[in-house]
């Protein structure tokens, strides 16, 4: 399956982000803990040159804990600071605050050289769609402050949200689109819902997902949920799921397209168990 996707509003979002980057000290690069390599955007390294950086392995509650441990160790080995969290939970905010303070190395050095004391770190969250940027901002703000969903280019009038006394976070996240030449990476990003549903044939994608589960031996949660293995012809697997879920077309035929979307949604929300799509070294 070959995924091609070039959303038209990409350039506008990138430009908005380039403007916002200028006013921050630190970039919080959010990735999905289930595929931290595939969900990074290579543009971000260039965009944030000279800035401090912290990677958040988000949705860790949906990833295999051993996988997340391996990724955290891998980032250490690359000299990149990272923090593991569930952006929906306020419990992780103390740790995040500490991680941001520790990552603000260049900012501190600059302030010190200029004799500036106790200036808060200004940070910006950025990442590809669906990794949890708005959720993180909302959790920090303690209310619905950020626009959830993907509405690029809406930044106007810079607003800041405080995290403790020492961090200010821009209320608008930077959105970048996934970049991939490798079709495997395209698949992972599509499984995770970072590519518009309209751009990818959901049934074909579900078929690829079944193959992934089988190849990597991650079928347990699937079988438990649907009472069927993801093996055999994908149309048949989807038909069985559709019938079981009463997803029917007019005339009573199984609606395999809706079944495909349901399976992918179940995976994205963690209802098929905690599943990593990639591990370090397998990039
Ligand atoms: P954005 O496009 O990067 O702003 O992503 P959103 O903040 O809109 O989040 C996309 C979806 O992932 C929403 O349904 C969130 O509730 C969910 N989500 C975000 N962070 C987490 C997390 O850490 N754990 C879980 N389980 N779900 C999350």
């Amino acid at each position: 399956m070959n995924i091609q996707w070039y959303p038209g509003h990409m350039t506008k979002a990138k430009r908005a982000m380039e403007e916002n980057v200028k006013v921050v000290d630190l970039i919080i690069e959010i990735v999905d803990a289930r595929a931290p390599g595939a969900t990074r955007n290579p543009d971000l390294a260039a965009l944030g040159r000279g800035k401090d950086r912290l990677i958040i392995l988000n949705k860790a509650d949906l990833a295999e804990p051993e996988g997340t441990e391996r990724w955290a160790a891998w980032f250490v080995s690359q000299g990149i600071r990272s923090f593991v969290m569930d952006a929906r939970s306020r419990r992780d905010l103390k740790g995040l605050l500490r991680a941001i303070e520790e990552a603000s190395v260049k900012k501190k050095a600059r302030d010190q050289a200029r004799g500036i004391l106790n200036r808060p770190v200004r940070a910006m969250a950025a990442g590809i769609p669906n990794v949890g940027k708005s959720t993180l901002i909302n959790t920090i703000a303690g209310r619905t402050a950020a626009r959830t969903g993907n509405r690029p280019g809406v930044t106007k009038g810079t607003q800041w949200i405080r995290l403790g006394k020492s961090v200010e976070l821009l209320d608008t996240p930077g959105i970048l689109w996934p970049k991939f030449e490798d079709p495997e990476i395209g698949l992972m990003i599509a499984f995770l819902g970072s590519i518009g549903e309209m751009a990818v044939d959901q049934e074909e994608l579900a078929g690829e997902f079944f193959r992934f589960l089988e190849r990597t031996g991650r079928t347990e949660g699937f079988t438990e949920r649907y009472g069927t293995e993801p093996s055999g012809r994908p149309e048949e697997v989807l038909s069985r799921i559709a019938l079981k879920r009463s997803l029917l077309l007019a005339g009573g035929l199984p609606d395999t397209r809706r079944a495909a979307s349901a399976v992918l949604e179940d995976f994205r929300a963690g209802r098929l168990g905690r599943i990593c799509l990639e591990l370090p070294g397998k990039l």
Side-chain angles (χ1 to χ4, degrees), residues 58-62 85-89 127-136 147-150 173 268-269:
N58 192 39
K59 307 200 186 186
D61 57 301
L62 303 179
M85 77 181 293
D86 169 351
R88 297 165 314 162
S89 158
I128 68 169
N130 215 38
V131 291
K133 300 177 294 296
S134 309
T135 305
L136 177 72
R147 291 155 281 250
T148 323
N150 319 315
R268 288 167 194 158

Side-chain angles (χ1 to χ4, degrees), residues 263-278:
V263 170
L264 292 164
E265 267 313 307
D266 280 347
F267 161 65
R268 288 167 194 158
R271 291 187 286 265
L272 305 181
R274 298 174 74 154
I275 294 174
C276 284
L277 297 178
E278 64 171 346

Side-chain angles (χ1 to χ4, degrees), residues 67-85:
T68 303
E69 261 170 49
R70 283 180 58 183
W71 275 110
W74 184 84
F75 279 111
V76 170
S77 78
Q78 303 296 304
I80 302 173
R81 287 166 199 273
S82 71
F83 182 69
V84 172
M85 77 181 293

Side-chain angles (χ1 to χ4, degrees), residues 237-253:
V237 178
L238 289 171
S239 287
R240 286 199 293 275
I241 293 171
L243 290 173
K244 221 167 246 167
R245 294 278 150 115
S246 306
L247 300 171
L248 304 175
L249 295 165
L253 285 171

Side-chain angles (χ1 to χ4, degrees), residues 57-256:
L57 296 164
N58 192 39
K59 307 200 186 186
D61 57 301
L62 303 179
E64 294 153 30
E66 316 81 67
T68 303
E69 261 170 49
R70 283 180 58 183
W71 275 110
W74 184 84
F75 279 111
V76 170
S77 78
Q78 303 296 304
I80 302 173
R81 287 166 199 273
S82 71
F83 182 69
V84 172
M85 77 181 293
D86 169 351
R88 297 165 314 162
S89 158
R90 293 190 62 81
R91 267 197 320 258
D92 293 337
L93 292 183
K94 241 189 182 160
L96 176 63
L97 178 62
R98 204 172 324 122
I100 292 174
E101 285 168 348
E102 282 169 13
S104 303
V105 181
K106 290 176 187 154
K107 181 257 179 202
K108 269 181 220 148
R110 258 195 314 265
D111 281 1
Q112 210 160 29
R114 294 176 190 158
I116 300 169
L117 282 179
N118 301 328
R119 183 178 68 84
V121 180
R122 290 196 149 183
M124 167 187 198
I128 68 169
N130 215 38
V131 291
K133 300 177 294 296
S134 309
T135 305
L136 177 72
I137 290 172
N138 289 340
T139 301
I140 291 174
R143 67 198 146 89
T144 311
R147 291 155 281 250
T148 323
N150 319 315
R151 260 179 278 165
V154 285
T155 334
K156 288 323 145 220
T158 321
Q159 301 224 26
W160 301 90
I161 297 158
R162 292 201 82 101
L163 175 59
K165 285 203 179 97
S166 57
V167 175
E168 290 176 358
L169 180 74
L170 201 59
D171 80 339
T172 316
I175 305 168
L176 285 167
W177 269 263
K179 270 205 169 169
F180 49 88
E181 270 134 38
D182 181 349
E184 287 281 314
I185 293 181
L187 274 182
M188 288 188 253
I189 291 164
F191 292 162
L192 292 169
S194 294
I195 291 182
E197 287 227 339
M198 304 309 284
V200 187
D201 181 306
Q202 295 296 293
E203 287 174 72
E204 208 181 322
L205 186 62
E208 295 284 358
F209 183 60
F210 299 162
R211 271 190 283 282
F212 164 80
L213 292 177
E214 284 228 286
R215 178 169 59 77
T216 61
R218 287 169 161 82
T219 59
E220 199 182 318
F222 182 98
T223 310
E224 208 169 281
R225 183 158 179 89
Y226 305 122
T228 183
E229 296 276 338
S231 51
R233 291 181 44 204
E235 309 87 89
E236 285 167 13
V237 178
L238 289 171
S239 287
R240 286 199 293 275
I241 293 171
L243 290 173
K244 221 167 246 167
R245 294 278 150 115
S246 306
L247 300 171
L248 304 175
L249 295 165
L253 285 171
D255 189 341
T256 48

